[in-house]
Amino acid sequence: MNPGIGLMKRRLPTEKEAIPVAVSGIIKKYSVTADQVKTLETKYDEDSGDWYVALGFNEKRAIIKMDSVQGTISEIKEI
């Protein structure tokens, strides 16, 4: 029997830990520098345990969805 998401220790428990993971995903995917990436907004979904981080870079914007338990990027969507 596996514990539910509420019982598992999160690898990304706070916004402070989630933002660098999101920035590194943008740096790898779009070949930009950390100085070019700006944090626009962050949200945490209590029900699913996912972080959503909106970042801006080079006149583009992207939303990065991350699993807080696994500490991994689930999706990068350019908007």
Side-chain angles (χ1 to χ4, degrees):
M1 184 167 164
N2 291 332
I5 192 167
L7 300 176
M8 297 178 75
K9 181 169 171 32
R10 294 188 177 108
R11 292 190 179 149
L12 299 175
T14 65
E15 183 177 337
K16 184 178 175 182
E17 285 89 11
I19 291 174
V21 174
V23 170
S24 70
I26 291 296
I27 290 171
K28 287 179 186 177
K29 184 170 181 175
Y30 294 98
S31 300
V32 296
T33 64
D35 297 340
Q36 295 173 305
V37 181
K38 303 268 189 240
T39 304
L40 304 174
E41 188 176 351
T42 58
K43 296 268 186 199
Y44 181 71
D45 184 357
E46 293 284 337
D47 294 331
S48 66
D50 292 337
W51 276 103
Y52 294 88
V53 180
L55 299 174
F57 56 98
N58 293 344
E59 304 297 324
K60 296 179 184 179
R61 293 179 183 166
I63 297 175
I64 297 83
K65 177 182 174 185
M66 295 172 288
D67 184 320
S68 67
V69 174
Q70 297 296 322
T72 58
I73 295 174
S74 307
E75 179 183 0
I76 297 177
K77 185 189 305 183
E78 192 175 327
I79 54 172

